[in-house]
Amino acid sequence: MAKNEKKEILDASVRGKRPYVKEKQNGGRNQESEARPAQAQPSAPKQQPAQKQAQQQKKQQNGRRKQKEPLRIAFLGGINEVGKNLTVYEYKGERLVVDCGMTFPDAEQPGIDVIIPDFTYLEQNRDSIKGLIVTHGHEDHIGAIPYFLKKMNVPVYSTKLTLGLIKNKLKEHRLHDKAKLIEIKPGDTIQLGGFSVEAIHVNHSIPDALSFAIICGAGTVIQTGDFKIDTTPIDGEMIDLGRFAKYGKKGVLAMLGDSTNAERPGYTMSERKVGESFETLFRKAGNRRILVATFSSNVHRVQQIIDVAQQLGRKVALLGRSLENVVNVGLELGYLHIPNGILIPADMINRYAAEQVVVITTGSQGEPMSALTRMAMGDHRKVEIGPQDCVIISATPIPGNEKTVGKVVNELLKLGAQVVYERMHDVHVSGHACQEELKILLGLVRPKFFVPVHGEQKHLTKHAQLALSMGMDPNNIMITDNGIQLELTADEMKVGESVPSGSVFVDGYGVGDVGSTVLRDRKHLSQEGMVIVALTVNRQTGEMISSPEIISKGFVYVKESGNLMEEVRALAVRVVEETPARYRRDFNTLRGKLREEVSRLLYERTKRSPIILPVVMEG
């Protein structure tokens, strides 16, 4: 295939359609064959009994149906986004769910705590779900499990640490006694209805991460989960490349590949490199107090910080509830090894000299309520940042978080702290494979079909280009989207019927009760503010009993805008007086007139459009 032709195919990526799949010119029924008139079929031989002929036809139909029964893969999250991962496999009416994660809101979703997938499709098919298998314990893969299990209490399969983190989350939702959590290990094979699933060990930034080989009558699908190839991992167990190669030799129908780092050339550094950097930086810190911000789930990173702190005779304090929970689970299950006496309560941090303490904290992504952000803003009750501090941000900003992280760094520097962040001194390595590792796994697995997953469009596109550069047929590469359902047989991969998908907002105890209308009002309030016009009217006579009260929230400061507020008050009086008495007794009509007239006046005076809230009370 010519280079230009390949590029045209790559550029044809259109959400919800069939990117990377070029129609075969002679495959299936082409236009020419469809245009031909139907020809009469030869009649059955007269000597063959009608009953025998019918049986043979039925047998042939059943054989064709059996041969072409497709495997369906539906994506409810994790495509064109980083987070909210949820994939559903369906074969012969039985379904298997892989991962059930969440994501965090952005600036366009004020007030939202977390975002989870829409479970409508799964609820519609709840009786066919054989189980939920989980690749690893990061929030974008387990965060929505409590909400899922409240609706469908299916068995959950994963490794010891992952199940420990899931159980910890279920306790917060009071579901841990009802959930069916079943531990599996790398190399185990479990049977879930018509699916046979083998767990394969991979390296990631959290222990106990898995890939899955999902086997059914249609063939074998490898879902990589989040992975990298680390030849010197902290836990001593390298990714099981041999197992991937064995499946590659047997024949793999399709591979769903982690695309997070598909834009990055080369290889991802080993986690051990971070431990070496910590030792160097801790020694350079001298008499400074050391604070390290990292992902709470990065158990290997926490262990390395503690190991270096112990070598230098420093105590360690933990700040952040999620970090404390993960450390407790890690200790309980044997994934963390902390010497007695090295951990101190957060309340005791200030009782030690600066050179005697290392603080591990959350907030590496600049989360507004995290411990590091509150320290940077001078709003933390237990730690006050100053020139005596060295702050190490051991993480790379997730796409979209660059500004919030930058703001925290700036505030820390204003307080006089020394700050080490992003790529400085190798204080963070990714848990995801870069381009050369992605190509190695593709080369070992040798799938017939390839679907990039887990990433934004740019990541998915780049991963698809890598597969194309390795000689893969562009007809066999598919960039998909949430809500798309693929149908795979031994001969083809195509887009099937779409399935319900989307985002469900969680706000406090409310799940799904905040929609686009509420978010639009919240953004409107944040941008323009609100003006309340409150007055009391006699329901019988329609007469106004008292002068209107004007309240401004987020619009203008009332004490400095007295003339404008008086104009609004006078306008409200005029609206009531000019409204015929019979309409004044209809409070809905009166509220509508007040909203319209006050909005018009404020726009004329300020060129702003705050939300107008008329409150008409009966006197």
Side-chain angles (χ1 to χ4, degrees), residues 72-212:
R72 297 181 175 88
I73 307 176
F75 301 94
L76 302 188
I79 310 293
N80 280 306
E81 61 184 348
V82 177
K84 200 160 63 67
N85 296 280
L86 198 162
T87 308
V88 185
Y89 291 78
E90 186 263 317
Y91 184 69
K92 290 187 175 180
E94 295 180 324
R95 288 174 174 81
L96 173 67
V97 182
V98 180
D99 290 335
C100 188
M102 47 143 283
T103 190
F104 291 103
D106 57 27
E108 297 298 310
Q109 295 146 342
I112 302 302
D113 295 327
V114 297
I115 303 171
I116 62 175
D118 184 349
F119 298 134
T120 301
Y121 172 67
L122 294 174
E123 290 182 81
Q124 292 171 348
N125 299 280
R126 65 173 70 235
D127 294 335
S128 67
I129 300 174
K130 299 304 176 182
L132 165 63
I133 57 176
V134 185
T135 56
H136 64 281
H138 280 153
E139 288 291 323
D140 57 335
H141 294 259
I142 69 170
I145 289 178
Y147 305 98
F148 173 73
L149 293 183
K150 285 178 183 177
K151 297 177 179 291
M152 296 152 280
N153 191 17
V154 303
V156 181
Y157 299 82
S158 196
T159 47
K160 184 192 292 186
L161 178 61
T162 305
L163 291 183
L165 296 172
I166 292 172
K167 187 174 182 180
N168 204 43
K169 297 183 72 66
L170 294 178
K171 286 180 180 178
E172 298 178 8
H173 293 259
R174 299 179 182 177
L175 294 171
H176 59 289
D177 292 331
K178 301 176 183 178
K180 305 167 188 173
L181 305 181
I182 302 166
E183 182 184 340
I184 58 176
K185 298 176 181 178
D188 288 352
T189 299
I190 53 176
Q191 195 70 36
L192 299 173
F195 294 98
S196 179
V197 182
E198 181 182 344
I200 304 173
H201 172 71
V202 296
N203 302 129
H204 188 41
S205 54
I206 187 172
D208 270 7
L210 297 174
S211 286
F212 291 120

Side-chain angles (χ1 to χ4, degrees), residues 599-618:
S599 179
R600 180 186 56 78
L601 173 68
L602 292 178
Y603 185 78
E604 287 178 356
R605 297 290 186 271
T606 67
K607 293 296 185 250
R608 286 185 276 167
S609 301
I611 290 179
I612 309 299
L613 181 61
V615 179
V616 181
M617 297 172 286
E618 182 178 355

